[in-house]
Amino acid sequence: MKKIFAFSVFGLMFAPMTCDAVDWWRQETVCRLDTTTCYPSMGTGYDREMWDASSQCWGMKLICPDALVNNDDYIPVPMGKTDIARGDKIKADFDTDELNGDCFGVRRTTSNGAMASVGDEYVPVWCNTVPLYADEIEQLPNGMIVTSGAQPTCAELALDGYVAIQVGKCYGKYYDPYKYYIQCGPGDLLPERIIVLNGADYTMPSGDAPVDIDAANDIFDKMESVSQTQRSKYFKDN
């Protein structure tokens, strides 16, 4: 009997059994640790020591705080594969397949990084030299975006000599106010026209200077009309 009992214990110790989702003290037999991993390799951005009960494997992604809904801890949060796939805890503007430093969650971009997703729509990424006046501004690798409040308008940009034209991987082309006049249309992001001032110093006082922007636009419209008339008179299209 002693020999039979010893053989039975020996067989249990080396039986190829795995643990199921039962607390260890309730297990009927001794089982070996499940070594299944959730990801092929886990370097920066993973916690390989955490057990993902939803997917029955080891390892969790660390999700960046900016990518999470209703998170004010400002530290990366480990999240299981099922929660990530469901997506209800992750902002739609962020891609959790992209590593951002020591965690996952990068704001989605397009146009080679010149447009970024904010509130499920893409807005311009403004070059770092463009002055922005908004409630909340976020810094991205290629420039800045407005995440809260109204987006810049043509008139606001023109005050500082900028136009919403793409320059490389960001928006905001500068025109020297002493050399160019930026004429904006109502409600448009891009100006109606950019007029070369030909070196004229518009800061010098003049008796017939326009009193407001509407008067100035009227003068420029008349100048353009005269120019087109003269061109059609002396230059014939072939």
Side-chain angles (χ1 to χ4, degrees):
M1 291 295 292
K2 290 183 179 179
K3 292 182 179 180
I4 295 175
F5 176 76
F7 177 79
S8 299
V9 173
F10 183 84
L12 287 173
M13 290 176 62
F14 291 90
M17 304 170 66
T18 59
C19 296
D20 54 18
V22 179
D23 296 326
W24 65 268
W25 61 87
R26 295 178 181 174
Q27 294 283 347
E28 295 181 359
T29 59
V30 177
C31 54
R32 70 173 176 240
L33 182 67
D34 189 343
T35 59
T36 302
T37 56
C38 300
Y39 301 95
S41 60
M42 289 180 281
T44 303
Y46 294 91
D47 189 330
R48 66 177 65 215
E49 304 299 328
M50 295 195 70
W51 174 254
D52 183 354
S54 66
S55 300
Q56 295 295 301
C57 55
W58 288 99
M60 287 192 179
K61 268 187 176 182
L62 298 174
I63 307 301
C64 298
D66 289 342
L68 294 172
V69 177
N70 299 326
N71 179 62
D72 298 324
D73 294 335
Y74 302 106
I75 57 174
V77 175
M79 188 173 292
K81 297 180 72 173
T82 300
D83 286 338
I84 294 175
R86 188 167 57 242
D88 57 338
K89 299 179 182 179
I90 299 172
K91 296 177 182 176
D93 295 326
F94 286 80
D95 184 356
T96 53
D97 289 330
E98 294 291 331
L99 188 64
N100 185 9
D102 59 354
C103 55
F104 285 88
V106 174
R107 189 175 289 276
R108 300 180 188 276
T109 60
T110 186
S111 299
N112 201 23
M115 301 286 288
S117 179
V118 176
D120 293 334
E121 66 176 352
Y122 283 89
V123 301
V125 175
W126 301 102
C127 300
N128 291 319
T129 55
V130 178
L132 296 179
Y133 311 98
D135 295 339
E136 293 183 15
I137 298 171
E138 180 180 317
Q139 184 68 46
L140 296 180
N142 297 338
M144 306 168 291
I145 58 172
V146 175
T147 56
S148 178
Q151 297 291 327
T153 64
C154 175
E156 291 173 342
L157 295 169
L159 289 175
D160 296 297
Y162 284 91
V163 175
I165 296 176
Q166 186 172 349
V167 182
K169 296 182 179 181
C170 58
Y171 280 82
K173 185 173 182 179
Y174 178 73
Y175 287 87
D176 188 343
Y178 287 95
K179 298 179 181 179
Y180 301 93
Y181 172 72
I182 302 171
Q183 181 178 333
C184 296
D188 294 333
L189 181 58
L190 289 174
E192 289 184 349
R193 71 194 84 184
I194 300 175
I195 301 170
V196 180
L197 298 177
N198 294 324
D201 187 357
Y202 63 87
T203 62
M204 294 295 291
S206 174
D208 58 351
V211 295
D212 55 25
I213 189 64
D214 291 332
N217 288 336
D218 185 57
I219 292 174
F220 284 124
D221 289 339
K222 291 179 180 178
M223 292 170 57
E224 183 181 36
S225 177
V226 171
S227 176
Q228 290 177 346
T229 300
Q230 294 297 100
R231 181 182 183 281
S232 62
K233 180 178 179 180
Y234 295 103
F235 297 92
K236 302 296 182 180
D237 294 331
N238 293 330

